[in-house]
Amino acid sequence: MIYTLLIGLGGMGKVHFINTRELGMVKIAAAVGSSDADKAASDSFSIPYYGSVEEALSAHPEITVADITTPTFTHADLAMKAIMHGLDVIVEKPVALKKSDAERIFSLAEEKGVRVYPAHVLRYTKEYSYLIDAVHSGRFGAVTDAAFSRMSAWPGWSKDSWLFEKGKSGLVPFDLHIHDLDVMIAAFGKPLSAESHEISGSGIYWKFRYGYGAFNVESEASWLRSPIPFSPSFRILFEHAVLSYDGSRLFLYEEGKEASEIDISYEKTIATGINVPPTGWYYEEMKKIYSLIGQKEKSGISYSDVLKELEILEKL
């Protein structure tokens, strides 16, 4: 059994908890929070609640993992603290708001002999994993163009409005677009060029353009002041096929063949409680991460990829 300390009981904390409790190999032994809402959430899940990491670890010495789901600007300090206590660390994206902070986290983890598992959920999904494998295998030829979209309504659920402060969340690029950038780097590598611009109006809308030499990637992400549903999608043009995901179904249009739908059904579909519809994404993420932890293996998401992403986002 793996015993985990859940640090943070907001939206993503609850997502991590409800998916982790489906795993027979893991027990959330305690939670750390800083508000009445955190305490109420902890009580609702029947998890022992503490006001500090030190209190929780003193009461639960069996804990070997910290799962950090607090507001973004607190990730670096909490990750460093957990590592100093000898814990493996799961940390919600982004790991930090600065490349230099992420470097400090990864360096300390190496020094202390523990592992950091960045919670970039798309790497563990069937639809985005299929995309990455299609690119790496080359079975449809070279990529000639790509587009990603991640549209969302205005995140009015943000506690204390920290999400709307650039120094605390990084806004749309760090909070939303980072998902697609992570997939791009996993699939195509680090881009040769990157540019972006923000369009204000009915909320916040960002456009991104990445150059890879032989092809370009266009991407968009938004927090809109309208009731648009959470809408992730992508379209990848290969020399001999088109791969298209509309947010719920994945289609392959291969040259000389009938169009086909790729099976992206999940073993478990679990309600998130946030603006993301019920999905198997987070269950697959927690299942894979804890499998790696149980086998004492490093994250499938390299520290190098995380650092590339933060370097790009800091410059946009």
Side-chain angles (χ1 to χ4, degrees), residues 72 93-94 97 149-155 162-181 196-200 202-208 210 219-225 313 316:
T72 303
K93 61 79 199 163
L97 287 171
S149 179
R150 192 155 300 268
M151 308 295 279
S152 174
W154 191 258
W162 65 270
L163 200 56
F164 306 114
E165 296 184 40
K166 184 176 181 179
K168 292 184 175 182
S169 73
L171 302 177
V172 167
F174 281 83
D175 185 74
L176 203 58
H177 172 63
I178 190 172
H179 286 293
D180 291 322
L181 179 58
S196 68
H197 64 275
E198 177 186 356
I199 301 170
S200 296
S202 181
I204 301 173
Y205 175 79
W206 281 70
K207 293 279 285 185
F208 306 86
Y210 298 97
S219 185
E220 62 179 358
S222 70
W223 291 337
L224 298 179
R225 293 187 184 277
L313 292 174
L316 290 177

Side-chain angles (χ1 to χ4, degrees), residues 39-93:
K39 178 63 166 62
S42 182
D43 289 344
S44 72
F45 293 134
S46 300
I47 315 171
Y49 177 83
Y50 301 90
S52 72
V53 171
E54 289 75 16
E55 287 180 89
L57 294 180
S58 177
H60 299 273
E62 72 275 17
I63 287 173
T64 59
V65 177
D67 184 356
I68 299 171
T69 62
T70 52
T72 303
F73 67 97
T74 67
H75 288 180
D77 288 345
L78 286 168
M80 297 286 283
K81 179 178 290 188
I83 291 167
M84 287 299 295
H85 282 287
L87 304 181
D88 287 326
V89 176
I90 302 167
V91 58
E92 246 313 311
K93 61 79 199 163

Side-chain angles (χ1 to χ4, degrees), residues 82-83 86-89 106 108-116 303:
I83 291 167
L87 304 181
D88 287 326
V89 176
F106 297 147
L108 184 62
E110 295 285 353
E111 177 187 329
K112 297 297 182 182
V114 299
R115 292 158 290 274
V116 177
Y303 296 168

Side-chain angles (χ1 to χ4, degrees), residues 2-5 16 20 23 25-28 65-67 90 117 285-295:
I2 298 170
Y3 294 93
T4 295
L5 174 62
H16 280 216
T20 299
L23 305 174
M25 60 191 283
V26 184
K27 178 178 176 60
I28 303 294
V65 177
D67 184 356
I90 302 167
Y117 299 86
E285 177 186 37
M286 293 295 105
K287 182 172 70 172
K288 181 59 176 179
I289 288 175
Y290 277 107
S291 174
L292 293 171
I293 290 173
Q295 297 171 47

